[in-house]
Amino acid sequence: MEIFSRIVGTGRALPGKPVTNAELATRLAQSGVDTSDDWIRERTGISQRYIAADGVHTSDLAFEASGHALQSAGVSAKDIDLIILATSTPDMIFPSTACLLQKKLGASGGAAFDVQAVCSGFAYAMATADLFIKAGKAKTALVVGAEVFSGILDWSDRATCVLFGDGAGAVVLKADSTPGILGHRLHARGEFESILRTPGTVSHGKAVGHPFLTMDGQSVFKLAVQVLDSVAREVLADVGHQVSDIDWLIPHQANVRILSATAKRLGIDEAKVVVTVDQHANTSAASVPLALDVAVRDGRIRSGQRLMLQGVGGGFTWGAVYLQF
């Protein structure tokens, strides 16, 4: 009998209270950074974001989101035999944040590891978990995207610091005889690594290199729209489906202009695009599972509908996962 993986539960976590554009502008003005609600909204569509307090780590947000996903799925943490956590902001160099999450959940025994593909991380993690389950190597997987991006932002750089937020999203995948994940494609082009990166590290107890995020926004925009269109078409071709078969498009929540341009290029009605970037900004690997959970819990996404999940980010990486909910 052929084995498939299906999403059986979703969850999300956002730290503290939302920080509006106006509140952020006031904070930044104290450091001599000039921005405004209008400036941010016009260029990004973002109205607010969540910023973790000091001492709140990626594993904390992952734990909260995972708890909601497990509850939604009706699954105990002890049933989890695989944890894959996508993040670019781990709690520490090692052990992995997935192992720290496993400890907090009390889910010891199965494999647990991090995936680092920046904003494409959740797509990479979902594809990996799907292959584990299809190969019979796991029965119940917890897949998480979690970030505390506020810790790697240069708060004097208006072009980047207004774009990002902190958060986590999680899904529970279970082995099933009925198709759930229908297909996926992952890609990377390392020659474009310089357009979006945090080129720092720790050596001999000191930060070496530039420890903050840097981005060539125009280059990222052009490449993102191109690859989000192409990877969706690749996955659809793999499974013999058409763009018209997609009920909901859930792209990486980076910028409303990218979301709109991607929908237009694919020929998808923007009403079928799940957009949450206005509410939580760009949360990197957490953005797709956050958006998914929002749309599941508000009733837009229903059983039997087909979803195209997409990620694109530093590396330069991109990927898509096509599934039946």
Side-chain angles (χ1 to χ4, degrees), residues 104-158:
K104 290 181 178 183
L105 289 170
S108 296
F113 57 90
D114 289 356
V115 167
Q116 215 283 39
V118 200
C119 304
S120 305
F122 188 72
Y124 269 61
M126 283 284 281
T128 303
D130 177 56
L131 293 172
F132 264 81
I133 289 174
K134 286 180 176 176
K137 302 300 183 182
K139 292 183 179 179
T140 307
L142 177 63
V143 184
V144 186
E147 303 282 13
V148 179
F149 247 57
S150 57
I152 59 171
L153 297 178
D154 179 353
W155 290 98
S156 67
D157 179 9
R158 180 178 69 165

Side-chain angles (χ1 to χ4, degrees), residues 178-303:
T178 303
I181 293 182
L182 304 174
H184 39 72
R185 284 286 192 110
L186 305 175
H187 294 284
R189 293 190 65 181
E191 65 267 34
F192 292 118
E193 57 85 17
S194 64
I195 67 174
L196 177 56
R197 61 180 178 172
T198 302
T201 187
V202 176
S203 179
H204 301 290
K206 297 180 181 179
V208 178
H210 188 69
F212 300 119
L213 180 147
T214 64
M215 180 173 68
D216 177 347
Q218 187 173 12
S219 296
V220 169
F221 180 91
K222 290 179 179 178
L223 196 53
V225 174
Q226 175 188 329
V227 300
L228 289 173
D229 170 62
S230 63
V231 75
R233 295 183 188 278
E234 285 176 357
V235 176
L236 291 170
D238 287 344
V239 299
H241 285 208
Q242 307 296 321
V243 171
S244 58
D245 291 318
I246 299 173
D247 292 300
W248 292 104
L249 180 68
I250 310 180
H252 168 49
Q253 305 289 309
N255 181 311
V256 290
R257 293 182 178 182
I258 292 177
L259 303 184
S260 179
T262 300
K264 183 177 181 180
R265 189 156 174 161
L266 279 168
I268 290 180
D269 187 334
E270 287 193 42
K272 297 171 70 174
V273 182
V274 176
V275 178
T276 57
V277 65
D278 58 318
Q279 296 301 304
H280 57 66
N282 182 345
T283 54
S284 189
S287 79
V288 171
L290 274 168
L292 172 64
D293 184 67
V294 167
V296 167
R297 293 179 184 266
D298 69 19
R300 274 179 287 174
I301 292 176
R302 301 186 300 275
S303 178

